[in-house]
Amino acid sequence: MKKTIYDIAKHAGVSIATVSRVINNTGRMSDETRKRILRIMEEFDYLPNMHASALTGKKTNSIGVIVPDVSNPFFGEIVKFIQLFAEEQGYTVIIGSTDYHPEKEANYFSLLKQKSVDGLIMATSVDSDESLERLQEIVDDNVPLAMLTHDRMPFPMDVVTIDDSMGGYIATNHLLELGHKDIVFVTGSQTMTSFRDRIKGARQSLEHNGVEFHESQIIKSHFSIEGAKEDIGQYLETHLPTAIFAVNDVFACATIQAARKRGVKVPEDLSVVGFDNTVLAEVTDPPLTTISQPKADMGKQIVRMLVEAIEGKKTSKSKIILSPELIIRQSTVKPEAQV
Amino acid sequence: MKKTIYDIAKHAGVSIATVSRVINNTGRMSDETRKRILRIMEEFDYLPNMHASALTGKKTNSIGVIVPDVSNPFFGEIVKFIQLFAEEQGYTVIIGSTDYHPEKEANYFSLLKQKSVDGLIMATSVDSDESLERLQEIVDDNVPLAMLTHDRMPFPMDVVTIDDSMGGYIATNHLLELGHKDIVFVTGSQTMTSFRDRIKGARQSLEHNGVEFHESQIIKSHFSIEGAKEDIGQYLETHLPTAIFAVNDVFACATIQAARKRGVKVPEDLSVVGFDNTVLAEVTDPPLTTISQPKADMGKQIVRMLVEAIEGKKTSKSKIILSPELIIRQSTVKPEAQV
DNA sequence: TAAAGTTAAGTAAGCGCTTACTCAAATATA
DNA sequence: TATATTTGAGTAAGCGCTTACTTAACTTTA
């Protein structure tokens, strides 16, 4: 039932070596033979057993992608683009979603090593000792690495990010320009370097504009939208700023909902800025002013770099920093306009 | 650098057969030997080469999952749950997103066959000849299949769905109970059996309530949110109903936006019901009345069934139909309340 | 036209593992 | 104590492929 290279060879009246040569398009051989073999492969619906070829050291044509959470639309969209471009280049994608758990991340590293992926894209902040140890093994195997949306490099690797710090800066600038002075920041796990940078940029903006900053202006929240609503809601009980900048759209949506639940109107009583420009920003009420990341471009660039590294067309590492963009919708207004 | 079973065997002073036995926990052997070998494997960070073991016919501990679009929050969430439960059972997940393209679907079947996945979960409607042909090969290999969210079975397989028809029914009933008579339905590709069933249920509800139905009450839209906005907007130019039932939340959000763009207010001028209860429904303006699918439960059940089939604990096929639930938010009101 | 070079294709080793078969030593049975 | 049985572990074939090496049949070259 199962077709092997032997079946093809037998039917073509050649040796398996010849068949292997046409599979890999290597060696010399008469055009006639090659065509005949191709025809027979077609006819038999023959697909080479990739475990056998991987065992001999060939590429597996697969790349691993590790993201914190596929169900976050930002990563959902990113993954979709990565998959699209990887496919164009003839690679399959194996996705791991870590739920922000370092152990899961470490497990994925082991797993992807076992699956012998040809390269690895990471969109998580790899910091746990366990993860780094596992990643080290992958590095030892000379598997190319690329990091997306983070700019920390535990090992030499290609990087694609946006300028998160600038993103935080322009978001905050936008609020300051509107006239807000009392701005609060919502962020998540501080291990996410992208979040840290966004906050850093925000603080720089405050500083440049001569507005003071206190640690108490930061809400550190949990990751689920429900958890975030809770955390933000509690904060709002004690202090109601005129504007909030959240480090991603999920938090921004949570902010809007937490505010609404307490009778605080967005944007009249509270302006909100998000980050990522996901579908959530388009759809939420009010539509969210947010910082856009060029997701398609990011996906394309990272796949391009990784594939070049895999195929040996590129030996040095590079870093691509794309620009974030402010998308003004209706969740931000001047504080004068507030009730 | 690379550790093989030979390295472990040599260091343990045993044959590779013995090492293999401890890896697979088979055969008999003194406790002492087993422990010693385990310790050495640990020390060497040894992971068996899965291509080698797959080559001998062992399971790969991976399952394929095919969805139409990972960036649709409904599938993003579903995939997340599938991944979670699969992992608990010791399986990796290889995800394919087809963008509703039959050729991509067919490609994924080939690919997953090559990767020799142990089982396959499909959340797409498999109809193209090409896809069915490729799927046939997978069936011939006795790979267990499970279908999610669809209830069409090109081959014998396990199924988990909700009762889509009932979902359409209760959504429409809700609108009728509010007093709407002029209801329009937004749907997508008719190859999606789930969409067809939702519309079917809607029509049944109309019929039971003595409300007439015309084909012109159906808007067939494209899949991207932008395309849908366009399609729905055009329809609204010619006819403005008092309520719209969209077969998923993405279409419902598109409806709200298309309406808003034309100055039609939701819910005052137009009530909207969605389907799926994704994060979009929570977040959109106004929050969406929608039909909820128990995604976590669906993910859990389908993984459970598939794994049981893979591990031979289950030979007959079964079908699990879960109940949809109406979640009333603020996008639906009585037409009397309309302007 | 004989020696040298090309060309098309075959032979066989090896990738890292599993497993049926084998075997010697230890233990049980009569 | 002689024989049968169990136990722990090794031997070697084979999974489906790739590829270095080899070979036989042609072509060139001088």
Side-chain angles (χ1 to χ4, degrees), chain A residues 115-127:
Chain A
K115 298 238 171 203
S116 40
V117 291
D118 298 326
L120 191 49
I121 294 175
M122 293 166 286
T124 56
S125 59
V126 180
D127 336 74

Side-chain angles (χ1 to χ4, degrees), chain B residues 163-309:
Chain B
D163 188 333
D164 282 298
S165 169
M166 181 191 290
Y169 191 93
I170 59 183
T172 309
N173 251 15
H174 169 65
L175 292 173
L176 292 171
E177 274 172 12
L178 287 173
H180 294 277
K181 301 278 181 224
D182 187 357
I183 304 175
V184 161
F185 304 92
V186 177
T187 184
S189 163
Q190 285 305 290
T191 64
M192 297 288 279
T193 54
S194 49
F195 290 174
R196 279 212 298 268
D197 288 344
R198 289 169 198 178
I199 295 292
K200 195 171 77 187
R203 292 181 56 169
Q204 281 167 357
S205 165
L206 292 181
E207 198 175 315
H208 289 182
N209 287 278
V211 178
E212 265 190 58
F213 171 82
H214 285 285
E215 278 301 328
S216 64
Q217 282 169 258
I218 290 198
I219 306 178
K220 273 189 197 151
S221 176
H222 292 88
F223 268 110
S224 69
I225 191 164
E226 291 79 17
K229 257 192 267 188
E230 192 68 27
D231 295 334
I232 297 163
Q234 260 172 30
Y235 184 98
L236 295 182
E237 304 268 294
T238 64
H239 173 61
L240 182 63
T242 67
I244 285 187
F245 165 46
V247 296
N248 72 24
D249 285 351
V250 173
F251 287 141
C253 287
T255 301
I256 291 176
Q257 289 180 50
R260 181 180 299 148
K261 195 169 165 194
R262 275 164 188 73
V264 176
K265 284 190 185 147
V266 177
E268 295 84 344
D269 306 335
L270 180 69
S271 284
V272 176
V273 180
F275 208 111
D276 291 345
N277 194 30
T278 57
V279 62
L280 298 179
E282 267 179 80
V283 132
T284 194
D285 166 25
L288 202 58
T289 294
T290 190
I291 304 295
S292 160
Q293 305 202 45
K295 298 180 215 67
D297 206 23
M298 292 169 78
K300 186 168 209 156
Q301 298 291 346
I302 197 126
V303 170
R304 185 183 54 71
M305 292 204 300
L306 189 68
V307 168
E308 282 178 2

Side-chain angles (χ1 to χ4, degrees), chain B residues 147-166:
Chain B
M147 190 145 236
L148 186 63
T149 73
H150 283 259
D151 187 7
R152 129 187 305 243
M153 299 175 290
F155 301 102
M157 61 179 83
D158 289 311
V159 178
V160 173
T161 54
I162 55 152
D163 188 333
D164 282 298
S165 169
M166 181 191 290

